[in-house]
Amino acid sequence: MSDQELKDKILQSAEKIPMPESLEPEKMEEKLSSVVQAKQKKSRFSRKLLSVAAALAVLIVSGAAVAKVFTEQQTYIETPEKLDSAPDAGKTDGSSQGQLTSLGDEEYYGDIAELLNEYNDAYSDDALGIIKDSVAKYDNNVTEDAVAVPEQSATSSAGLSGAGGTGADYSETDLQVKGVMEADIVKTDGTYIYAVNGGRKARVRIYRADGAKVEQVSQFTIRGSIFSGNEMYLAGDRLIILGNIIEENKKGSSASAEAEEDIAYSSSAYGSVGMTTVIWIYDVSDVRHPKRLKTLKQSGTYMSSRVSGGYLYTFSNYRVYRNNCKDDEPEQFIPIANGECVRGNKILYDEDAKSNDYMVMTSLKVDGECEFQDSAAILGGAEVYYVSQDNIYAAGYGEHRWGPKAKSLIYKYGYRDGEFAYVGRTKAEGLIEDSYYMHEYNGNLAYVYTRYKKSDDDSMTTTNGLCVLDEKLEKLGEIAQLGNDERIYSSYYIDNMAYFVTYRETDPVFAVDISDPKNPALKSELKLPGFSEYLHSFGDDLLIGIGKGGKKGDSWEDSRVKVSVFGVGEDYELTEKETVLLEEDSESMAGYNHRCVFVDEERKLVGFEVEYWGVDEDEWGETNHVYYVVYGYQDGKLKKLMQCSTSPEDDYNALEYVRGLRIGDYFYVINTGVSQKKGGIKVFDINTWDKARS
């Protein structure tokens, strides 16, 4: 076969296979750059990078379809009072078609090896070579963590110990589910502020915040090839940092040169284009001298995590590129958790699977011995994770990512005290593209979705709806045909009420009551210009929305950030009480990451970072200005209370690297990519919103 014939074959295959969201150009750009939503001053470089990423993604996708494993029939495995593991070896979950099977023990490794070999034969040597080259340039000899290096100037903090703050009057990371903690790049205990930058190398800074006075007490860098954003938790005296690295696989060092190369670039160490999820655990009982306790790893790209009931649950997506899997080398195609293959009876796969993606989960007791307590995996990756106080729901996609045949594949696990128990799975019509689209209420799962369909003229259009499943993932009720020819931009649940926004030319905000799960009821539909990418409760009978302006008369204002306050009236009728359209063309991260937004419902405050672009010109033709803004809602009006630049003029940092938080009567704006000495923290008195001395 000639080179051209090979390329044509790859491209023809790629055209027939939907691209996973994680490999779309926007997502690849996010992974390949330490800057998300990069400033337009850098856009020329970013566009070139995006083009390279897209070209690589096409070749990868030519052998990377998501599993075609589920049927319309819902399945369920009884979960006893004591959580059990996955089904016994070789047994299935009871589905009549597309059965999920447990590996059980090593004799079943051959089954999954055969499936992966059949699937990965779609790769050519040339395609694998491109992947090798792309991954190899990021190999930077990952090393162990650096010793913590306190700032020399922090002399007044000598003798400080204990990470527990004395006061409880401070804001925390916004949560989707009460009691289920989420990671972020900034944490506080009311006395200290912990910040980790999201760039290529993880630098952690610890500050003591005493009203207007802020001083850095220590910092340390986790050395190595940090490839994408980092997040963390503060749990008592422990600081837990999560991120991705690329590291060389040493397991093939004794093999032949050819075999070693094959192992190095297509084995478990290079799942998800070379990604490994890493968990770094530090003792911060002495904040001047943080001490690393443990480094744990699991196969694949870090997707999400939660802390619940004293346990950390970490989710990654692991892709196997190896095309000559052997059942006596399970470490080359079975997910690995801290050096050990996930147990066979904790791995599920489908006999008809056509996916080389695993969904991988681990658990860890945050104040324990720093070892994984349990792990589980399903061959058929997931992209969206919703965690209630009792269950984990992971949503992936079927063979068709877009179009009328697009489905969402929903897996359900029960969890308790660090143990996973597989419950069941179902295939749902439409796409579930965000964790905030899902909500557990009275044991049932409600979710909003966008469904593609063909119109009479054979063009593609969309519709949206809400569906409710029972604890066995069997359908109870649905309300469909909402926001036709539009798609969902944001969703927020409050108890029995689902609020969500669709958009094309107007901004319908829907309110659906799910108190009767068999008959979800549309209570209100409010149509407005623009759309809200972010929704959040804002105190009694109020919602706050952040998005973009829309069409107003003959002019378009959808390039300007819009802030709206919605009222929830009698029988959940929605009204727009107040709206503010920012002065210039602008962008925010509110719709991309809800943790970027500060919301104080009691004080009716909302804060977020905003980028104004095209304000004036320089040698590139335009200049962008990045600010953090805080709005207050008082007497029925939204008022801008504070606006400050978030970094020095010559420093361009991603929008999502800035957070705002409150401790007592002071508000802190933290740029995690810049030290305090360079303006990385600014302090304001919330009573006057004047800048405080520091």
Side-chain angles (χ1 to χ4, degrees):
M1 182 180 295
S2 68
D3 290 345
Q4 186 59 47
E5 289 174 332
L6 177 61
K7 291 177 181 177
D8 290 343
K9 184 176 180 180
I10 292 174
L11 291 174
Q12 288 171 5
S13 299
E15 291 173 354
K16 298 177 182 179
I17 301 174
M19 182 180 293
E21 184 177 0
S22 61
L23 289 176
E24 290 173 355
E26 293 84 355
K27 294 294 184 180
M28 290 296 291
E29 180 184 18
E30 180 179 336
K31 295 178 185 300
L32 292 171
S33 171
S34 64
V35 177
V36 178
Q37 295 291 312
K39 308 299 171 283
Q40 299 241 344
K41 186 169 182 179
K42 295 184 177 181
S43 63
R44 290 168 175 79
F45 170 77
S46 297
R47 290 188 185 111
K48 290 180 181 178
L49 183 63
L50 181 59
S51 298
V52 173
L56 174 61
V58 168
L59 286 170
I60 295 173
V61 169
S62 68
V66 183
K68 181 183 178 181
V69 299
F70 297 108
T71 67
E72 297 296 339
Q73 179 177 355
Q74 288 78 29
T75 62
Y76 180 67
I77 293 179
E78 290 292 339
T79 305
E81 206 169 296
K82 176 174 172 41
L83 294 182
D84 289 338
S85 62
D88 293 336
K91 294 184 179 180
T92 68
D93 62 3
S95 173
S96 60
Q97 300 179 32
Q99 297 173 334
L100 282 179
T101 305
S102 166
L103 291 186
D105 53 36
E106 291 187 8
E107 69 179 277
Y108 291 95
Y109 286 161
D111 296 343
I112 200 166
E114 183 177 346
L115 288 172
L116 288 169
N117 287 335
E118 178 183 351
Y119 180 80
N120 284 327
D121 277 344
Y123 283 117
S124 68
D125 291 337
D126 283 0
L128 282 172
I130 292 175
I131 296 171
K132 295 175 187 179
D133 293 341
S134 301
V135 171
K137 68 179 180 179
Y138 291 105
D139 286 341
N140 287 339
N141 298 319
V142 172
T143 62
E144 290 298 326
D145 305 350
V147 176
V149 181
E151 287 287 308
Q152 295 294 324
S153 61
T155 55
S156 62
S157 62
L160 290 176
S161 63
T166 57
D169 185 19
Y170 58 89
S171 61
E172 300 186 30
T173 301
D174 188 41
L175 305 180
Q176 182 178 7
V177 177
K178 184 178 180 180
V180 180
M181 307 303 294
E182 299 187 32
D184 201 4
I185 58 174
V186 173
K187 294 286 185 179
T188 185
D189 58 14
T191 300
Y192 299 100
I193 296 173
Y194 301 77
V196 58
N197 72 317
R200 187 168 171 79
K201 289 186 178 181
R203 178 180 289 107
V204 180
R205 294 186 173 99
I206 304 176
Y207 304 93
R208 180 179 175 88
D210 184 10
K213 185 178 181 181
V214 178
E215 57 181 349
Q216 182 172 304
V217 298
S218 63
Q219 74 170 25
F220 58 92
T221 299
I222 302 175
R223 303 188 184 279
S225 183
I226 311 302
F227 191 65
S228 62
N230 309 290
E231 299 181 335
M232 64 182 176
Y233 292 92
L234 180 62
D237 289 343
R238 292 197 172 178
L239 190 67
I240 302 171
I241 305 162
L242 303 100
N244 293 311
I245 66 170
I246 295 177
E247 58 183 350
E248 184 180 359
N249 186 352
K250 302 295 186 182
K251 294 182 179 179
S253 58
S254 61
S256 67
E258 182 178 355
E260 181 178 349
E261 182 180 358
D262 178 50
I263 291 171
Y265 289 101
S266 57
S267 69
S268 57
Y270 283 96
S272 300
V273 196
M275 292 292 194
T276 296
T277 295
V278 184
I279 305 168
W280 296 274
I281 305 172
Y282 281 82
D283 180 351
V284 290
S285 57
D286 180 353
V287 292
R288 265 187 69 85
H289 300 92
K291 179 181 179 182
R292 183 176 62 85
L293 299 177
K294 192 83 174 201
T295 300
L296 298 172
K297 301 177 182 179
Q298 67 187 66
S299 296
T301 300
Y302 172 63
M303 301 296 289
S304 190
S305 63
R306 301 290 191 277
V307 167
S308 179
Y311 289 83
L312 169 70
Y313 300 92
T314 305
F315 310 104
S316 61
N317 190 77
Y318 165 48
R319 174 164 295 162
V320 179
Y321 289 110
R322 187 177 177 86
N323 57 3
N324 60 342
C325 300
K326 299 177 182 179
D327 57 3
D328 60 348
E329 297 178 353
E331 69 277 3
Q332 304 302 337
F333 60 93
I334 297 297
I336 292 175
N338 209 34
E340 301 292 334
C341 289
V342 176
R343 298 195 311 274
N345 66 346
K346 285 287 187 173
I347 300 177
L348 299 176
Y349 75 101
D350 192 287
E351 295 175 357
D352 301 320
K354 300 297 181 184
S355 173
N356 59 352
D357 281 359
Y358 285 96
M359 176 189 78
V360 185
M361 305 187 297
T362 61
S363 65
L364 168 73
K365 194 172 187 346
V366 295
D367 61 354
E369 298 300 319
C370 303
E371 299 289 348
F372 287 138
Q373 177 160 325
D374 197 8
S375 58
I378 292 181
L379 182 60
E383 299 183 34
V384 178
Y385 293 87
Y386 167 74
V387 182
S388 71
Q389 292 185 352
D390 299 306
N391 297 297
I392 296 166
Y393 299 89
Y397 305 107
E399 180 182 14
H400 303 281
R401 178 63 175 83
W402 305 107
K405 295 182 179 180
K407 311 287 184 182
S408 287
L409 313 174
I410 305 174
Y411 307 83
K412 180 179 179 179
Y413 277 82
Y415 75 94
R416 187 182 306 137
D417 298 332
E419 298 292 332
F420 300 116
Y422 173 71
V423 176
R425 51 81 165 123
T426 188
K427 179 166 65 176
E429 295 289 340
L431 300 177
I432 306 169
E433 300 185 288
D434 192 278
S435 67
Y436 271 70
Y437 292 9
M438 294 185 278
H439 175 62
E440 190 177 79
Y441 180 69
N442 288 343
N444 301 319
L445 175 68
Y447 64 89
V448 293
Y449 62 82
T450 295
R451 183 179 299 168
Y452 291 84
K453 62 180 181 178
K454 283 189 176 181
S455 59
D456 294 338
D457 62 359
D458 213 32
S459 62
M460 194 69 69
T461 185
T462 57
T463 186
N464 307 278
L466 178 147
C467 188
V468 183
L469 308 178
D470 69 9
E471 62 180 8
K472 301 179 181 180
L473 298 182
E474 294 177 348
K475 185 175 176 180
L476 289 172
E478 181 179 13
I479 182 168
Q481 303 297 318
L482 299 177
N484 291 327
D485 207 22
E486 299 178 340
R487 75 174 185 85
I488 295 172
Y489 270 67
S490 60
S491 176
Y492 195 83
Y493 293 84
I494 304 175
D495 297 328
N496 63 299
M497 290 302 299
Y499 302 94
F500 60 99
V501 172
T502 64
Y503 178 72
R504 185 173 182 183
E505 291 187 359
T506 58
D507 177 8
V509 185
F510 297 97
V512 177
D513 187 355
I514 59 173
S515 55
D516 180 356
K518 295 182 178 180
N519 298 286
L522 177 62
K523 293 294 186 179
S524 181
E525 178 181 354
L526 177 64
K527 292 189 176 182
L528 300 165
F531 59 91
S532 295
E533 298 175 290
Y534 172 92
L535 281 179
H536 199 286
S537 57
F538 206 44
D540 294 339
D541 303 324
L542 292 175
L543 293 170
I544 187 77
I546 304 172
K548 288 292 188 73
K551 192 170 185 180
K552 187 175 183 181
D554 295 328
S555 65
W556 284 90
E557 298 174 331
D558 58 358
S559 59
R560 295 161 63 180
V561 171
K562 173 185 175 184
V563 185
S564 300
V565 175
F566 302 103
V568 182
E570 187 176 351
D571 201 26
Y572 305 106
E573 181 181 1
L574 292 171
T575 58
E576 186 178 45
K577 287 183 168 292
E578 173 72 341
T579 185
V580 169
L581 197 63
L582 270 62
E583 300 87 351
E584 306 288 347
D585 290 350
S586 46
E587 183 69 64
S588 81
M589 286 295 296
Y592 300 92
N593 184 349
H594 68 277
R595 292 165 298 182
C596 293
V597 182
F598 166 84
V599 175
D600 188 324
E601 298 188 38
E602 180 182 351
R603 295 171 177 80
K604 298 294 186 294
L605 301 174
V606 59
F608 56 94
E609 194 172 22
V610 60
E611 177 183 27
Y612 296 106
W613 30 279
V615 176
D616 50 36
E617 294 187 358
D618 63 2
E619 69 273 18
W620 292 84
E622 57 186 23
T623 299
N624 303 342
H625 299 288
V626 183
Y627 298 93
Y628 195 92
V629 296
V630 175
Y631 282 85
Y633 183 65
Q634 301 169 355
D635 301 322
K637 296 293 183 181
L638 276 170
K639 179 182 179 182
K640 184 190 291 184
L641 302 175
M642 181 272 285
Q643 175 173 296
C644 69
S645 174
T646 59
S647 63
E649 293 182 2
D650 60 348
D651 185 74
Y652 290 86
N653 290 277
L655 280 169
E656 69 169 345
Y657 295 167
V658 174
R659 296 291 186 269
L661 63 86
R662 181 190 62 81
I663 301 177
D665 289 335
Y666 292 88
F667 190 81
Y668 301 82
V669 178
I670 303 104
N671 184 334
T672 66
V674 180
S675 70
Q676 181 202 352
K677 291 181 179 180
K678 296 182 179 180
I681 294 186
K682 297 185 177 180
V683 189
F684 297 84
D685 185 330
I686 68 169
N687 297 304
T688 63
W689 289 102
D690 292 332
K691 188 174 181 180
R693 292 183 179 181
S694 59

